[in-house]
């Protein structure tokens, strides 16, 4: 099926546009809220399931719009059950990755306590969404970057990822509490659709998540950061910095050319000033590349005086052959930052954890994470020695 043949999804519409649609069809105004209620709270499989609307209204809407959602090709659950990686197919066949990351209540409940409610078991359920199939930015350590750019996702396709996970969570009596734009692709290189998706996901008449519960991660597109700062949104921003100087950054993020690290840090400061939201910096720690104490000190110099938080992410090894530093080196890097008064955490990666970097569709020996080869329609080198991800079980059995 070609992308052109796919009708626009109802999940692509802002509530105000649903109002317009209802008016154009000559339906009473309240039908818009009925449709929105069904779309965002009842998870209909098709318009036929939206029984609040009269048959002729459903027919008229389906002549113009589809209720296209994402269909699940595979799901892979981490050993501890807290992370679910999903391979989703869009209406035109494009395959993308979405991740559900859940955080158990801590400390763990003693065995003798009464059974906890679902939301107490997982006070946070974060969906990591993709904004593009593939990515043009080409970061050398990133599996998505290495597959190249396939296409932008539209807002409806971004929203559909959240709805898919929300439906899965509902079967467990849980719900989406946070959304991070950290899956495949560069959100600010697909600016309009990213912002439209944020507006749909946070509109009280649509999905209704609080803006502060959304974080957008960017490789550091300065113009996009400034545009986002002016949107009047309260979303969090994470900038993937990875290096404190031009030469190193250029090596790791080959498309970084136009923006110096100093310009990126200045944009972060402007974002903070405009929104009141502190910007965090992501720093993928790569053995022998950007993990020396000297580099840490350079990072301190660059970030001193910037209200920020640094997330150190020991890199997930991918095809590029980059390795994560030994634990003592990670801790030594962290200590340099902490000693200089810079907020900093190392993203914990226990053996079975698969959440460290969504967008990295790679195979993990222990958890049989979906491999890049399976999601990419681009020719990629065959991989060996990896177990296949298991086919998707029914949502109720997926944990
Ligand atoms: N394009 C955006 C968002 C998607 S990438 C961005 O780059 O920020 C989400 C995060 O995963 C980024 O911080 C990215 O640097 C990180 N990442 C990519 N590949 C990784 C890997 N192999 N190991 C650890 N983190 C990785
Ligand atoms: Fe794209 Fe982000 Fe991967 Fe870089 S890290 S290639 S910007 S998805």
């Amino acid at each position: 099926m070609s992308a052109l043949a796919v009708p626009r999804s109802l999940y692509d519409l802002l509530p105000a546009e649903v109002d317009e649609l209802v008016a154009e069809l000559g339906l009473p105004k309240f039908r818009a809220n009925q449709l929105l209620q069904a779309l965002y709270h009842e998870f209909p499989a098709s318009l036929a399931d939206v029984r609040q609307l009269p048959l002729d209204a459903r027919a008229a809407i389906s002549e113009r719009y589809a209720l296209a959602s994402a269909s699940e090709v595979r799901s892979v659950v981490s050993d501890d059950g807290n992370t679910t990686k999903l391979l989703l197919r869009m209406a035109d066949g494009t395959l993308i990755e979405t991740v559900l990351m859940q955080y158990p209540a801590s400390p763990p409940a003693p065995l003798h306590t009464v059974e906890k409610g679902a939301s107490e078991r997982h006070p946070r359920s974060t969906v990591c969404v993709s904004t593009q199939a593939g990515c043009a930015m080409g970061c050398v350590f990133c599996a998505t970057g290495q597959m190249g750019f396939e296409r932008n996702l539209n807002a409806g396709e971004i929203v559909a990822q959240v709805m898919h996970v929300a439906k899965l969570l509902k079967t467990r009596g849980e719900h989406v509490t946070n959304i991070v734009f950290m899956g495949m692709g560069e959100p600010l290189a697909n600016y309009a659709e990213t912002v439209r998706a944020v507006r749909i996901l946070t509109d009280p008449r649509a999905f209704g998540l609080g803006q502060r519960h959304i974080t957008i991660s960017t490789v550091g597109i300065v113009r996009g950061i400034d545009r986002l700062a002016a949107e009047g949104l309260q979303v969090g921003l994470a900038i993937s910095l990875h290096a404190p100087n031009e030469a190193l950054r250029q090596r790791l993020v080959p498309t970084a050319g136009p923006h110096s690290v100093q310009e990126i840090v200045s944009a972060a400061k402007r974002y903070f000033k405009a929104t009141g939201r502190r910007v965090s910096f992501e720093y993928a720690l790569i053995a022998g590349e950007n993990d020396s104490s000297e580099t840490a000190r350079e990072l301190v110099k660059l970030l001193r005086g910037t209200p920020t938080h640094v997330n150190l992410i020991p890199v997930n090894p991918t095809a590029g052959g980059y390795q994560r530093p030994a634990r003592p080196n990670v801790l030594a890097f962290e200590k340099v930052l902490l000693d200089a008064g810079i907020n900093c955490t190392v993203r914990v990666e226990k053996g079975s954890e698969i959440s460290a970097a969504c967008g990295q569709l790679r195979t993990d020996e222990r958890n049989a994470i979906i491999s890049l080869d399976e999601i990419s329609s681009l020719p990629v080198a065959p991989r060996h020695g990896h177990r296949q991800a298991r086919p998707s079980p029914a949502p109720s059995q997926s944990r």
Side-chain angles (χ1 to χ4, degrees):
M1 203 190 316
S2 96
L4 288 173
V6 177
R8 195 170 172 196
S9 163
L10 284 167
Y11 288 110
D12 206 31
L13 298 183
L14 291 157
E17 293 167 335
V18 174
D19 289 335
E20 282 166 27
L21 171 67
V22 160
E24 277 168 31
L25 295 176
L27 298 168
K29 274 187 181 168
F30 70 92
R31 296 293 184 202
N33 278 348
Q34 285 184 325
L35 178 55
L36 288 163
Q37 165 70 24
L39 287 176
Y40 291 99
H41 301 284
E42 293 164 19
F43 310 103
S46 75
L47 266 170
D49 291 344
V50 185
R51 295 185 194 283
Q52 299 93 322
L53 298 180
L55 262 178
D56 54 348
R58 282 182 251 164
I61 294 171
S62 59
E63 271 174 29
R64 301 190 187 192
Y65 292 96
L67 211 158
S69 48
S71 57
E72 190 172 311
V73 179
R74 297 237 161 91
S75 86
V76 188
V77 183
S78 65
D79 286 349
D80 61 12
N82 290 331
T83 305
T84 306
K85 227 167 210 210
L86 301 164
L87 179 65
L88 300 180
R89 180 178 285 119
M90 304 288 105
D92 71 343
T94 301
L95 293 169
I96 52 116
E97 182 203 34
T98 304
V99 184
L100 164 63
M101 297 171 287
Q102 296 190 289
Y103 301 87
S106 59
L111 285 176
H112 62 270
T113 55
V114 260
E115 173 75 359
K116 296 236 176 219
S119 58
E120 287 173 85
R121 282 202 308 272
H122 291 125
R124 251 167 74 205
S125 293
T126 300
V127 190
C128 174
V129 294
S130 295
T131 53
Q132 299 179 316
C135 183
M137 307 309 293
C139 303
V140 294
F141 51 86
C142 170
T144 306
Q146 296 313 298
M147 56 186 278
F149 177 71
E150 202 177 314
R151 74 165 173 86
N152 281 327
L153 300 184
N154 61 39
E157 292 171 319
I158 299 170
V159 172
Q161 297 171 57
V162 177
M163 296 315 300
H164 185 90
V165 175
K167 185 176 179 180
L168 186 137
L169 284 174
K170 197 177 179 189
T171 63
R172 307 175 188 169
E174 298 179 302
H175 63 274
V176 174
T177 61
N178 298 75
I179 299 171
V180 293
F181 286 62
M182 292 189 183
M184 300 169 73
E186 167 49 43
L188 299 187
N190 185 15
Y191 186 90
E193 298 301 316
T194 292
V195 169
R196 169 179 273 269
V198 167
R199 294 199 186 282
I200 296 170
L201 290 166
T202 57
D203 192 306
R205 294 176 66 208
F207 192 67
L209 189 72
Q211 290 179 0
R212 300 179 75 85
H213 294 251
I214 291 188
T215 300
I216 293 179
S217 178
T218 175
V219 73
I221 298 178
V222 167
R223 228 160 58 101
I225 294 172
D226 285 333
R227 249 179 109 183
L228 192 64
E231 292 284 349
L233 291 168
Q234 277 286 298
V235 296
L237 184 69
I239 302 181
S240 301
L241 191 63
H242 310 313
N245 64 58
E246 284 4 296
L248 187 52
R249 193 160 200 271
Q250 192 78 57
R251 200 157 77 228
L252 300 176
V253 185
T255 56
H259 306 302
S260 70
V261 288
Q262 192 54 63
E263 277 176 305
I264 291 174
V265 173
S266 301
K269 286 184 181 160
R270 289 194 294 274
Y271 189 86
F272 175 67
K273 210 168 157 209
T275 64
R277 303 278 336 247
R278 195 179 60 170
V279 174
S280 59
F281 287 99
E282 312 280 309
Y283 193 102
L285 270 174
I286 309 171
E289 290 283 340
N290 64 356
D291 64 333
S292 71
S293 295
E294 194 191 336
T295 309
R297 284 191 290 275
E298 233 185 306
L299 187 60
V300 166
K301 256 197 218 151
L302 178 70
L303 297 183
R304 191 166 269 145
T306 309
T308 189
H309 184 99
V310 176
N311 272 319
L312 297 173
I313 317 164
V315 78
N316 281 323
T318 58
Y322 296 94
Q323 298 298 327
R324 64 177 52 148
R327 193 74 187 158
N329 296 15
V330 172
L331 297 178
F333 196 97
E334 181 192 30
K335 188 169 183 311
V336 172
L337 269 65
L338 290 175
D339 286 352
I342 293 181
N343 287 311
C344 171
T345 41
V346 176
R347 210 171 271 177
V348 190
E349 239 235 332
K350 299 194 204 86
S352 62
E353 219 104 275
I354 57 174
S355 61
C358 17
Q360 316 327 304
L361 295 160
R362 63 191 181 93
T363 300
D364 178 287
E365 290 292 318
R366 290 183 56 200
N367 296 305
I369 297 170
I370 303 155
S371 79
L372 228 196
D373 318 21
E374 295 175 271
I375 65 106
S376 175
S377 62
L378 301 172
V380 289
R383 292 168 172 219
H384 303 287
H386 295 139
R387 269 196 287 143
Q388 288 290 303
R390 52 184 176 273
S392 209
S396 59
Q397 306 162 353
S398 65
R399 299 199 54 208

